Amino acid sequence: MSQMLQERYARSLMNTFGPPRLVLTKGEGVYVWDAEGNRYLDLLGGIAVNALGHAHPALVSAVTDQLGTLGHVSNFFTTVPQIVLAERLLELLAVEGKVFFTNSGSEANEAAFKLTRRTGRTHVVAAAGSFHGRTMGSLALTSKPAYREPFEPLPGDVTFVPFGDANALAGAVTDRTAAVVLEPVQGEAGVVVPPRNYLARARDITTAHGALLWLDEVQTGMGRTGAWFAHTDSGVTPDLVTLAKGLGGGIPVGACIGIGEHGDLLHPGQHGTTFGGNPVSAAASLAVIETIERDGLLHNARRVGAHLARGLRHRHVTAVRQRGLLIGLDLDADVAPQVAATAHGSGIIINDCAPHRIRLAPPLVLTTDQADELLDSWADILEAAYAATEGPHR
Ligand SMILES: Cc1ncc(COP(=O)(O)O)c(C=O)c1O
């Protein structure tokens, strides 16, 4: 069954992602099933998206009820869920400001990038190792050469500096810099955590030069790191925040949030979207927020994340980086693809985000017992993957 579907996929879909690893047909909680009926523990959660897991009743009923009431209206009009969601996001950020809704993280960053142009400046500073998306604008802020080079020239005047190095940032930001864009924790790079005072230094540097501090919380936001936002404990108030992924719990929605007067930089006609802010995705987001609050999922993310991080230590694991349920680990050889494949074979989905790096971003509803399904077989998975490869040791 899966093989036939894989062949149909190869014939009818663009080969942008490589061959799919599985054909999935059903999900419930933290589990998904493939076309043969095999069950998998999903520790990737649609890459930090399925905050409530799969088919969560609160999300299903919010979307169903809203679609049965009012599904789409265009941005000539507004709806109650859209307004309430904007208010809730500003409340969670504890700021005054304005929200522009999108359908994805790339679009949220695209909106923010356009907004920075309204400062009258064009220079943007981004970080090496960054990932901000695949549209031409968000790609211009993404550092990986393999993603960028086939599409150059990219828009903008972007300088990349080493991530986590505040002195390098200070050296790159000038009075002609419109914005500094940073992930508070770099997700795609493998959960790279900067030094403790990095965001505070970035705030000071941008303020000194009249540049905007733009935090891309597309992957880290909405509870993923055990707080509503990964920058919360830095004490920093940014000027722009972008969100997506977990925001809709699996329904496409993103947000570009302008804090204080920066929420007023885009004027009528300067940006737009057909689907962004539609009531169904807004209702989905509201259900996600309500469920995270009601079920104490921020606390759960911290608790289960710490449990996983402790249990993932192994002689082949040289580093574990954990913020809530966003976990990256380094292996002592370039065998991450084999480790991920071995885990898949054992009914567990994990992600190899670099040749020697594994990432976990499971649903925030994951329990310690469910996490133990990985931990109980972790040593066997590693040993089997290493035995099957002659990976070059680091
Ligand atoms: C930090 C960050 N920004 C932006 C994006 C792009 O989001 P999307 O794939 O929804 O366009 C991602 C996706 O992985 C991300 O991790």
Side-chain angles (χ1 to χ4, degrees):
M1 176 76 153
S2 283
Q3 192 179 340
M4 188 188 71
L5 288 164
Q6 291 271 16
E7 284 163 13
R8 286 169 58 190
Y9 178 102
R11 279 197 300 273
S12 57
L13 282 112
M14 287 193 195
N15 186 22
T16 54
F17 302 103
R21 296 180 185 191
L22 296 167
V23 180
L24 298 175
T25 54
K26 187 179 103 160
E28 194 181 312
V30 295
Y31 299 100
V32 289
W33 283 260
D34 70 14
E36 274 70 42
N38 300 308
R39 190 182 86 161
Y40 299 84
L41 175 68
D42 181 7
L43 296 180
L44 187 55
I47 317 186
V49 167
N50 301 306
L52 307 185
H54 299 273
H56 193 287
L59 189 56
V60 172
S61 80
V63 167
T64 309
D65 290 352
Q66 187 58 46
L67 192 57
T69 307
L70 185 65
H72 176 80
V73 295
S74 96
N75 283 309
F76 289 126
F77 310 101
T78 189
T79 62
V80 176
Q82 179 185 68
I83 297 168
V84 176
L85 179 60
E87 290 170 348
R88 286 295 281 127
L89 291 177
L90 294 168
E91 222 171 81
L92 294 177
L93 278 163
V95 296
E96 305 264 310
K98 305 265 170 71
V99 181
F100 179 86
F101 286 116
T102 67
N103 313 289
S104 68
S106 296
E107 287 169 88
N109 286 332
E110 204 68 40
F113 198 5
K114 281 181 74 176
L115 185 150
T116 67
R117 290 288 172 96
R118 299 287 304 136
T119 61
R121 303 180 184 184
T122 56
H123 179 235
V124 176
V125 179
S130 63
F131 185 85
H132 298 293
R134 304 286 202 149
T135 57
M136 292 299 262
S138 60
L139 187 57
L141 308 166
T142 293
S143 77
K144 195 169 171 174
Y147 294 166
R148 302 169 57 83
E149 281 168 2
F151 305 102
E152 287 173 341
L154 292 164
D157 169 13
V158 184
T159 303
F160 289 96
V161 292
F163 183 61
D165 180 343
N167 293 334
L169 193 60
V173 177
T174 71
D175 288 348
R176 62 172 201 91
T177 303
V180 170
V181 56
L182 296 170
E183 295 159 82
V185 174
Q186 287 188 332
E188 295 301 301
V191 191
V192 179
V193 182
R196 188 162 272 284
N197 68 349
Y198 183 58
L199 292 184
R201 287 285 309 278
R203 177 68 284 179
D204 291 345
I205 293 162
T206 46
T207 302
H209 291 282
L212 306 187
L213 179 62
W214 161 10
L215 297 183
D216 177 344
E217 292 250 20
V218 165
Q219 185 156 162
T220 52
M222 304 314 295
R224 172 59 42 198
T225 64
W228 281 112
F229 305 100
H231 74 269
T232 306
D233 69 356
S234 70
V236 160
T237 303
D239 303 309
L240 289 175
V241 173
T242 45
L243 300 172
K245 286 196 181 273
L247 179 59
I251 297 294
V253 50
C256 165
I257 302 170
I259 292 168
E261 81 249 29
H262 305 107
D264 295 317
L265 280 171
L266 287 171
H267 295 168
Q270 291 183 338
H271 199 45
T273 166
T274 294
F275 294 116
N278 72 81
V280 174
S281 52
S285 288
L286 287 168
V288 168
I289 293 169
E290 238 167 65
T291 307
I292 289 175
E293 276 180 337
R294 189 196 60 210
D295 295 351
L297 297 183
L298 299 182
H299 174 71
N300 192 63
R302 292 194 295 273
R303 191 175 60 88
V304 181
H307 177 76
L308 266 171
R310 276 192 299 277
L312 287 167
R313 293 194 196 119
H314 183 274
R315 68 188 174 86
H316 284 308
V317 174
T318 55
V320 180
R321 296 172 296 275
Q322 176 251 335
R323 288 289 181 278
L325 278 170
L326 188 59
I327 299 172
L329 60 87
D330 292 354
L331 301 167
D332 61 2
D334 287 346
V335 295
Q338 290 84 352
V339 170
T342 308
H344 283 192
S346 318
I348 300 174
I349 295 176
I350 60 176
N351 169 238
D352 48 307
C353 58
H356 70 297
R357 282 193 166 155
I358 295 286
R359 173 179 47 172
L360 309 183
L364 306 183
V365 296
L366 187 75
T367 66
T368 48
D369 283 352
Q370 291 163 339
D372 285 344
E373 292 178 36
L374 171 66
L375 299 183
D376 290 347
S377 51
W378 182 230
D380 290 346
I381 289 170
L382 287 176
E383 300 300 342
Y386 273 75
T389 53
E390 300 272 313
H393 280 250
R394 301 198 137 243

